Structure formats: C-alpha cells, structure tokens
C-alpha cells in the first residue's frame, strides 16, 4: 500500500492506494465518528457497499444509493442526500463516505461540504478517472446550464483507493481514466508521458495501473498543494478541458465519457499549441495512441459557434474571453486567452485534420 | 464612520458602520470586479437598490430580486440565483452584493460561496437583526426539515452597514434586532447589558443605535475570530437559540420573527441557568424589559415533546443529545448537555412561570 500526504489549507489528508484496502478502512481512519453515511451508486453499491459496512460493526452506518451516471450529479439528488442525512440523524461529528466514481465523489463531497456547514468525508474512488476528481478538494454538482458550476473547495478527510475495485472496469472506463493520466503527464512529466504512450489499455497489468495512478496522483496533489483555490498553477490541470467540457455539454452529458471528451480536448490543445508556439509537440503520437486504444475521435460535425458559446460558460472564462491551457513543451503549460475568431479557426483546422486522418485510414 | 477589522481564516475583512455610507460604496470597495450582481428583496430593493447601482456607473451591474421573508431562504431561490449569475455572465472575478436583512444575506452569501466554487460577496445589512448574521461568514439556506441546515462558512469580502437604512424599520424589526444585541451583551459584557435594559425601543436614537450595533458587532467578531468554524467558543453565540429555533419551526417560519423567538429563548436560558447553577441571574429584569418593549411572550400552549424533537435537529446536537448554552453569570457562558427528561421539566416550569406572570398583570 502506498500513502501520499496532501497538504491542504484547512488540514492535511492522506491518500492510500493499494489492493483490497477497503477491508482495512476502519484501521486507516483515525477519528471516531458519531455515525456514517455511505453514498454510492446502484452499480458500485451492489459490488462493494457491504465490504465497507463490515468495517464498522459497532457504528451507526446508513446508505444513500443514487442512480448510475452524470444525470445524478444535480440539484435533486443533492437535496435528497441532505434530506437523508437529516433523517438518519447525522450531526457535525458524522462522516460521509463517497464510494464510487467522480459523480458520486463530487455529489457526496458537495453534500458533506454544505451539510450543517461542512462535515468530514472520505473519497473512495472506484474508477481510474476518479483519481483526478477525488484529490484536490473540488466538489460540485452540475447546473442545467453548465457542468460543475455549483460547488466548493472542500478537502476530504482522506482518500482510500482500492485498486482491486478497478478490475471490474469496462474498456470505456479504462480509456476515460487514462485520458486524465495522459493530461497529468503532459503538464508535468515527459518520461511518464512516453511510458503511457507505450501502454496498451486492453491488457494493462494491475501493477502497471498502480504505478500510473500513483504517478498521476502525485502530479495532481503537488499542483493543488501550491494552489488549492485555482488562482494560479492549478488552472494548468484544465489542459484538454476547454474543448472537453464543451463537447460533453454539446453532445449531452453521458453521451461521451468525461475522459473521452478530455482526450479529444488534449489533442486539440496540442493542435492549438503547435500553431501558437510554432513548436513540435506530440500531436501525431498522441493521435495514434488514442486511435489504437479506440478513443472516439469522430467529432466532424461540430457547430463551432455553439461550441465556443459552451466554452465560455467554463469557470475559467474571464470577461467573456476563453482561457485555454496550452503547452510550450511537455511539462511547460501556460494559460492563454483566445478570442472567438481565432478559436473558430482552430476548431475548423482541427476537425479538418481529424477528417483527413480518417480518410487516410 | 466606524471601521472594524475581522480576521477570518481565509482573509481579513472590514466592517464599515456609518450613516449614508451606501453612497460611498465604490470608495469603500478596493477591488475592481468584472461584474456585480445585487441581490435584494422586493421591499429593500424599492428603497435602496438604485442608490447602490449609482456607485458603479462604468460597471456591468445586475439585479436579482427575491420575495420578502424567510420563505425565500430555500433551495428554489438559491438555484434561481445561480441561474441568474450564469445568465448574467458572472465569472470568478465578479461580486455579489447582499442588500437586505438576514434572509438576503444568508441566501446570497451561500450562492456566492458555491457559485463556481466561490466568488466574493459583500454584506449590506438593512436591519438591526442582520448585524449578527452579516458578521462571521455563516451562510445558509433552510431545509424543509430544519433551519440553516444547508450552508457553509464563507467570510464576506466586506460588511457595509448604512445605519440610515435602519430608520425605516418597523417596531417589530427593531425588537427582533435588539434581541441579538441583548444576547451578545449577556455572553460578554454586563455593562453593555445594563445599558440595553435602560433602552426604550420605541424612541431609540440613531446615535444610541450606532453605539449598540458597534458594541454588539465587536463582541460577535471577537468571538468568530477565535473560533470561525464553531468548534468551541462560537457555540456561545447560540445562547437563546436552542428554544428560539425550535419555536420558529414549531410556529412556522415567519409567524414569529427570529429575534422575537430568540428573546423568549434568552429568557428560557436564564431560567434554566438559574436552576442549574442555583445562581441569581437577571431573569426578572430581562422579563420586565421584554414585556415593556412588547416582545410576544405568550407561548403557553407549547407541546414540549414536539419542541424537544425540533431542538434536536439543531446543528449543535451531538449524539442525539441537546447542547444548550447556559450562563454561570453574565459574561460566563457554558455549553451544557441537557437530557430530554430534564428539558421537559424546564419547559414546563418555564411556561408555568410565564403563565403566572401573565395572571399577575
């Protein structure tokens, strides 16, 4: 088991990564809580919720189970969790455990952040993708007009990452998760990036996965330690997300996974970076790797104006101008303002490039 | 104009108290914001919103006006403010101004705390009561099962208190506000308390009011500076609120003002404190003052079991046991656990005492 300590403004918290550590949860948690509410989705609950409950034979343990999918990350379920918490009698010394992917983590985390003005919560990610959202204290729900627009910075009490729970992931989920790992590698570590481009996602080994997760989490946590509230370097973690978030909104949340959208966004960032800095970046090798690993890259019918409008609802937008993370080189990210005119040209040349590539096939 | 600086964990913020300072708002705010959203209620907006707007001739200024009353401090209006903020194009460099009483301050403050994970907001209280809620960074909305159950600790960027806006207050509003001033005096300052007991609320002068507000705010801010997150001494500010909150819930929010409910709660605290510590506290003089100033004290038909149940949904409740603030003497508050059996006896003897007093009349 690996243990990484993250220094947050309010308190430091540990991230535990290891196989089957969900059975040792009670040993990893130091504090005694008055009661515990496990929040999970229907699929994850069926697989693991009992394993969590058995950790606490002498405590009051309750469950709130939400439907699977991004659609649950909205106001109705947020309020439902608050109602559950009140009716189960949770007080300020209670704990919420977020057992699941990013949707569960963000929703349950935001509920914990705002229940009685904030109680402890523990992230137990069960997807690769959630390695990203579970670290750094960002919690949120979606507004019908945009993703993650309602939320807080509220660090967890701990992150407990049982890699065994990743064995049941689908190919799609593995792809989605690796997109964020590629992002972390691109902003911070060329060696890690090159290692990832050699991975074949269909037969990634458990020890490899653990190594990659640990490397990604270390990059993420070192960034959020410096800039928890996203006033500076944390913005770099948005690499690939300007187009990524807009694509998710344009296609409808759930139509494309977050990671798949980010993957296309990363490729777009490389495309814009190459044009802006006239530098040679790994656009081609990234494209080939994404293709080989069956990432969906067919977004040819984009309406650029609609995409640009959606990009602007992003929280990084300032004065109605899109802020996009670019790369001067691998490990050298920079935030650039891009005006609508240039953005439209970039989007057109990008889809053209993808179209040509698909014809060559 | 008086200026009090409050040291909060995230940042320090100034409280300005003075007559007609709403016309100098732009001079009091140091930061330049990309846009401004004024949140107010229908009544206050009609009186003062234009005065605020004229401070910012060169900025983008928007308004969200909510209905008057506690009923607005709920999820629907919270979501409406989020929608407005998105549609007006507020970004992370925008400001929310909460212009109104405690309802507006709590609702707009919670919206600011969670819009794009938190933007700046300024409290502009227009009631005496709101001197309490506008200082200390507590923001919240009500859940249908309990008051202020959803919220955050999120300090404002500033508090701008224009005492001129208090001149239009009704007798009821003045009563309500003075209850929290009496509370602050009881937990911290006997001289201030005795001064308040000499005030006749019907003809309180503006300079007196300014002095009382300033004294109350200094007590409040010195407490929240020591204990922002309410893990210790901040709990003392809950004096009178255990029964106060339960009464509001029992009678229906809006049926009795918050301050009027707190006034009865303060009297109850004195009653329980006298029994618990066998000490002589100013129960009688407080009762006389409340009566003279027309506070409603006729709560004879209380259902004790229902009140106790409501007391337990309070955020201070731990392990299903009521935590109540008592006074060993004036300026010496202490948090005590009170079991249901004792609480029922205290409630019965309290209503009996009030009943006898009303017969003597």
């Amino acid at each position: 088991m690996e243990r990484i300590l993250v220094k947050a403004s309010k308190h430091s918290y540990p991230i535990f990564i290891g196989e089957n550590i969900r059975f040792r949860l009670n040993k990893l948690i130091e504090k005694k809580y008055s009661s515990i509410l496990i929040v999970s989705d229907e699929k994850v609950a069926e697989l693991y919720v009992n394993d969590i409950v058995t950790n606490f034979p002498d405590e009051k343990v309750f469950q709130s189970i939400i439907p699977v999918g991004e659609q649950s990350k909205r106001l109705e379920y947020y309020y439902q969790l608050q109602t559950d918490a009140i009716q189960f009698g949770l007080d300020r010394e209670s704990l919420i455990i977020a057992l699941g992917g990013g949707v569960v983590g963000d929703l349950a985390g935001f509920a914990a952040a705002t229940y009685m003005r904030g109680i402890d919560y523990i992230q137990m990610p069960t997807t690769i993708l959630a390695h990203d959202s579970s670290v750094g204290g960002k919690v949120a729900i979606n507004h019908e007009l945009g993703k993650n627009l309602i939320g807080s910075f509220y660090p967890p009490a701990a992150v407990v990452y049982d890699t065994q729970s990743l064995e049941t992931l689908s190919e799609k989920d593995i792809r989605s998760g690796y997109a964020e790992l590629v992002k972390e590698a691109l902003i911070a570590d060329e060696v890690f990036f090159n290692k990832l481009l050699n991975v074949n996602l269909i037969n990634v080994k458990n020890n490899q996965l653990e190594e990659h997760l640990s490397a990604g989490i270390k990059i993420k946590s070192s960034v959020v330690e410096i800039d928890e509230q996203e006033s500076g370097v944390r913005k770099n973690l948005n690499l690939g997300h300007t187009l990524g978030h807009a694509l998710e909104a344009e296609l409808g949340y759930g139509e494309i996974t977050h990671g798949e959208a980010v993957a296309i966004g990363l490729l777009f960032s490389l495309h814009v970076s190459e044009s802006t800095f006239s530098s040679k970046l790994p656009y081609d090798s990234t494209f080939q790797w994404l293709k080989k690993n069956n990432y969906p890259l067919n977004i040819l019918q984009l309406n650029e104006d609609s995409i640009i409008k959606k990009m602007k609802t992003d929280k990084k937008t300032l004065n109605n101008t899109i802020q996009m993370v670019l790369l001067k080189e691998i490990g050298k990210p920079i935030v650039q303002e891009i005006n609508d005119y240039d953005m439209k040209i970039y989007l057109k040349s990008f889809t053209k490039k993808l179209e040509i590539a698909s014809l060559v096939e």
Side-chain angles (χ1 to χ4, degrees), chain A:
Chain A
M1 184 184 74
E2 183 146 17
R3 184 178 187 277
I4 301 166
L5 193 73
V6 184
K7 287 181 218 70
S9 62
K10 283 184 189 161
H11 57 261
S12 294
Y13 58 92
I15 302 171
F16 303 98
I17 311 170
E19 208 166 337
N20 287 317
I21 60 173
R22 69 182 180 281
F23 296 106
R24 291 195 284 144
L25 185 58
N26 58 345
K27 303 225 164 38
L28 300 175
I29 302 177
E30 282 163 21
K31 194 171 159 183
K32 180 92 185 147
Y33 291 98
S34 61
S35 60
I36 298 171
L37 174 61
I38 305 171
V39 179
S40 195
D41 72 30
E42 286 162 353
K43 202 170 131 196
V44 173
E46 202 181 314
L47 291 167
Y48 306 116
V49 84
N50 287 335
D51 299 344
I52 309 305
V53 173
T54 53
N55 277 275
F56 308 103
D58 304 321
E59 339 264 330
K60 286 175 277 180
V61 183
F62 307 97
Q63 300 176 25
S64 294
I65 311 299
I66 59 167
V68 176
E70 185 78 24
Q71 286 299 320
S72 295
K73 213 173 108 177
R74 63 169 199 253
L75 199 72
E76 287 82 346
Y77 289 100
Y78 166 72
Y79 197 70
Q80 183 57 52
L81 289 190
Q82 301 283 353
T83 307
D84 288 353
I86 297 166
Q87 290 184 331
F88 292 142
L90 266 68
D91 62 30
R92 284 184 164 172
E93 301 299 320
S94 296
L95 172 73
I96 288 180
I97 295 176
L99 174 70
V103 167
V104 166
D106 276 5
L107 174 71
F110 186 50
T114 55
Y115 180 65
M116 296 191 171
R117 298 200 178 88
I119 63 171
D120 277 3
Y121 73 110
I122 287 176
Q123 294 276 17
M124 293 195 69
T126 58
T127 65
I128 301 170
L129 185 66
H131 86 272
D132 180 50
S133 55
S134 65
V135 176
K138 277 191 179 182
V139 292
I141 55 174
N142 300 327
H143 188 282
E144 56 199 308
L145 297 175
K147 209 171 141 78
N148 291 330
L149 289 181
I150 304 177
S152 306
F153 292 101
Y154 192 77
V159 180
V160 179
Y161 214 141
D162 186 342
T163 52
Q164 198 272 319
S165 66
L166 304 174
E167 282 172 14
T168 49
L169 289 180
S170 69
E171 257 186 71
K172 202 177 174 75
D173 288 333
I174 294 171
R175 267 201 300 276
S176 188
Y178 264 82
E180 294 283 2
L181 288 170
V182 170
K183 176 200 78 178
E184 282 147 359
L186 277 171
I187 64 166
D189 187 343
E190 185 161 10
V191 175
F192 181 34
F193 176 73
N194 289 327
K195 200 179 273 180
L196 288 177
L197 284 204
N198 281 319
V199 173
N200 184 343
L201 295 186
I202 295 179
N203 50 25
V204 63
K205 306 279 182 305
N206 213 315
N207 62 332
Q208 269 185 305
L209 175 54
E210 235 179 282
E211 185 198 330
H212 300 154
L213 276 177
S214 172
I217 284 175
K218 278 175 188 162
I219 292 169
K220 170 88 190 235
S221 57
S222 67
V223 171
V224 299
E225 276 184 355
I226 299 170
D227 175 28
E228 188 175 83
Q229 307 275 321
E230 200 164 19
S231 50
V233 291
R234 186 165 182 167
K235 289 179 184 159
N236 295 333
L237 292 170
N238 210 43
L239 184 76
H241 285 64
T242 308
L243 179 57
H245 278 160
L247 276 179
E248 279 181 279
E250 182 78 1
L251 302 176
Y253 296 119
E255 282 306 300
I256 184 172
T257 68
H258 177 66
E260 286 170 342
V262 167
I264 297 170
L266 289 173
L267 206 55
F268 181 60
S269 303
L270 291 168
H271 170 70
V272 178
S273 299
E274 282 188 342
S275 303
T276 306
F277 303 118
S278 312
S279 60
K280 196 63 203 144
L281 285 160
Y283 179 94
D284 291 330
S285 56
T286 305
F287 174 78
Q288 290 305 332
W289 183 81
L290 292 174
K291 220 178 100 188
K292 195 180 70 188
N293 286 293
N294 298 314
Y295 282 82
L297 299 170
N298 47 337
I299 50 149
L300 309 179
Q301 303 309 319
L302 276 194
N303 177 327
E304 290 93 7
D305 292 323
S306 173
I307 285 284
I308 288 171
K309 201 173 160 203
K310 293 217 161 57
M311 283 175 166
K312 287 186 177 180
T313 64
D314 191 279
K315 290 180 292 301
K316 281 85 184 174
T317 294
L318 291 177
N319 287 313
N320 206 30
T321 308
I322 294 163
Q323 311 283 314
M324 183 171 169
V325 184
L326 302 180
L327 289 176
K328 284 189 159 173
E329 54 188 87
I330 298 181
K332 293 252 171 2
I334 181 169
V335 178
Q336 292 272 110
E337 285 203 350
I338 299 193
N339 67 43
D340 294 7
Y341 180 82
D342 288 347
M343 184 57 86
K344 195 160 176 174
I345 290 173
Y346 288 136
L347 283 169
K348 274 192 189 299
S349 54
F350 178 58
T351 49
K352 192 80 195 162
K353 213 160 157 183
L354 287 178
E355 190 185 344
I356 292 166
S358 76
L359 292 175
V360 172
E361 228 167 299

